[in-house]
Amino acid sequence: MSTRSFFARRKRSIAVVAGAVAVVAAAGAATMASGPMSAAQQSLRAQGTLPYGIGQDSQDIAGVQESQELEAYGTPGQSLPSDRRGRQPWGTGSERVTSNLDRGVRVSDAPGVVLINTEATSGEGMGTGMVLTADGQVLTNYHVVDGSESVKVTVADTGNTYTAKVVGADSARDVALLQLSGAKNLSTVTVSQAAAKLGDTVYAVGNGNGQGFLTRLQGKVTGINEAIDVSEGTTFGPSSRLTDLIKTDADVVQGYSGGPLLNSSGEVVGLTTAASAGGDVDGYATPISEAMGVVSKIRAGEESGTVRIGPKGALGVQVGTDPSAEGAVIVAIPGDSAAGAAGLSRGDIITAIDGKEISSASELASLVGSKEPGTRVTVTWQNSAGTSKRATVTLGTSTVN
């Protein structure tokens, strides 16, 4: 099971993905809230402010006390926690001094923004999401829920908590759609019809470091169509590329993942996805039009390329990576596993799936997870005697997202 904590790398700095749906909706399901500004928003605009505190002087917004800030962000010299508790990919305080970060302003009015908490055997995770429909479709980053076994979503403005199911995701674009169980009449975010432009003032809203409440960071758009390389697990791990990103100078930290990047009218222009770690902070967001393009494919049931709908396939083994072995080492295998019935056992090394060579546990998980439950695959492995074996296995249904 993967508990990814991405690093986004450029030549001079490392960036961490900051810290996303359900059974395909029936025809006629609600669509994203992308209409004109509500009467309440118009009224607030007339008063010189908008939801999320936009237009309001930060000194006039009550909520964040110094003790709360220190608890959420740590004291100078401490390392910052990751989106997955128990891991600290941002490095030590000597690499990144928390006292120099903009800690943001606490937000008490954030229609459509939710806090996401996940559980897995390896630990807990946290992030942010956006409500797209009144019946509980939520957009977030895939890495927020990747590898989780349980997802809970709390509506920030009401405190109501729902169990969430992952409907579908695009791991390559780091986008996922969730469905909240039993949700109705939820407030939604408003999606901008105009793209962000260089120099625009923007606001990132999120559950910074899993603090349990929302804060807002202000910044400027400093780049459009940016590309970064992201690696999973460690700085030197396998990497993939994210493109067409919005770059800002907002001091985004872990936990903002999946949250909205808003324009000066309080409309969503991006999905917060990554932030640099070390030196001056650069935030990165996926344009909302691109994220909603993935959502549209999921809603339509268009599973193609890197878009997956429904649960992952599962081989029925737990694997690890041994630096001295080329492949994925089986560390545990349930008695009722189809892989076990095919002859695989603890200590065997899986070297290929359908003829595609496997070099690590994460590579095996990614390949198997891209296939549908019920798919028949040919597994090649090496047993403890060094003999190469091959068998056909029918994939089961994964219990992790």
Side-chain angles (χ1 to χ4, degrees), residues 31-315:
T31 57
M32 69 177 181
S34 58
M37 191 176 298
S38 68
Q41 286 178 309
Q42 292 173 352
S43 175
L44 286 167
R45 168 172 274 185
Q47 300 171 33
T49 186
L50 285 168
Y52 320 103
I54 294 174
Q56 192 171 25
D57 190 32
S58 61
Q59 294 179 340
D60 296 330
I61 299 177
V64 178
Q65 303 298 320
E66 182 65 19
S67 60
Q68 292 174 310
E69 290 179 339
L70 291 176
E71 179 182 0
Y73 289 90
T75 54
Q78 286 185 328
S79 58
L80 291 173
S82 72
D83 283 352
R84 301 287 180 182
R85 295 189 181 109
R87 304 180 68 182
Q88 297 182 343
W90 286 65
T92 63
S94 62
E95 295 171 306
R96 181 179 171 115
V97 181
T98 62
S99 60
N100 291 336
L101 294 178
D102 176 5
R103 294 172 175 173
V105 176
R106 186 163 184 167
V107 176
S108 59
D109 177 22
V113 185
V114 297
L115 313 175
I116 298 177
N117 286 274
T118 65
E119 292 185 359
T121 55
S122 58
E124 299 174 305
M126 73 295 290
T128 311
M130 294 177 270
V131 179
L132 300 180
T133 65
D135 62 354
Q137 287 188 350
V138 170
L139 172 68
T140 188
N141 286 130
Y142 177 57
H143 81 264
V144 171
V145 296
D146 181 21
S148 64
E149 298 176 60
S150 170
V151 181
K152 299 288 186 182
V153 174
T154 300
V155 178
D157 283 359
T158 66
N160 294 333
T161 298
Y162 302 86
T163 298
K165 180 178 181 180
V166 177
V167 179
D170 185 341
S171 58
R173 290 307 304 164
D174 199 11
V175 172
L177 183 67
L178 312 180
Q179 177 64 54
L180 308 188
S181 177
K184 59 181 180 180
N185 301 323
L186 299 183
S187 296
T188 61
V189 294
T190 299
V191 174
S192 174
Q193 299 303 301
K197 304 185 301 297
L198 282 174
D200 282 354
T201 297
V202 288
Y203 306 85
V205 174
N207 180 23
N209 291 318
Q211 61 203 357
F213 55 85
L214 297 176
T215 42
R216 186 201 73 221
L217 298 166
Q218 181 174 334
K220 293 282 188 181
V221 175
T222 58
I224 299 293
N225 298 325
E226 295 281 331
I228 56 176
D229 293 319
V230 295
S231 62
E232 75 179 90
T234 67
T235 305
F236 307 103
S239 65
S240 58
R241 193 164 183 80
L242 292 178
T243 59
D244 302 323
L245 300 176
I246 302 166
K247 179 182 176 183
T248 76
D249 59 6
D251 285 352
V252 173
V253 296
Q254 302 91 329
Y256 277 83
S257 293
L261 184 70
L262 305 164
N263 62 19
S264 58
S265 296
E267 301 165 334
V268 181
V269 294
L271 170 73
T272 299
T273 300
S276 61
D280 293 335
V281 173
D282 295 318
Y284 295 89
T286 301
I288 193 60
S289 59
E290 183 166 332
M292 291 307 303
V294 174
V295 170
S296 295
K297 290 181 179 180
I298 294 170
R299 287 171 171 169
E302 297 177 9
E303 189 171 40
S304 61
T306 57
V307 176
R308 172 179 59 85
I309 298 171
K312 300 176 182 178
L315 191 57

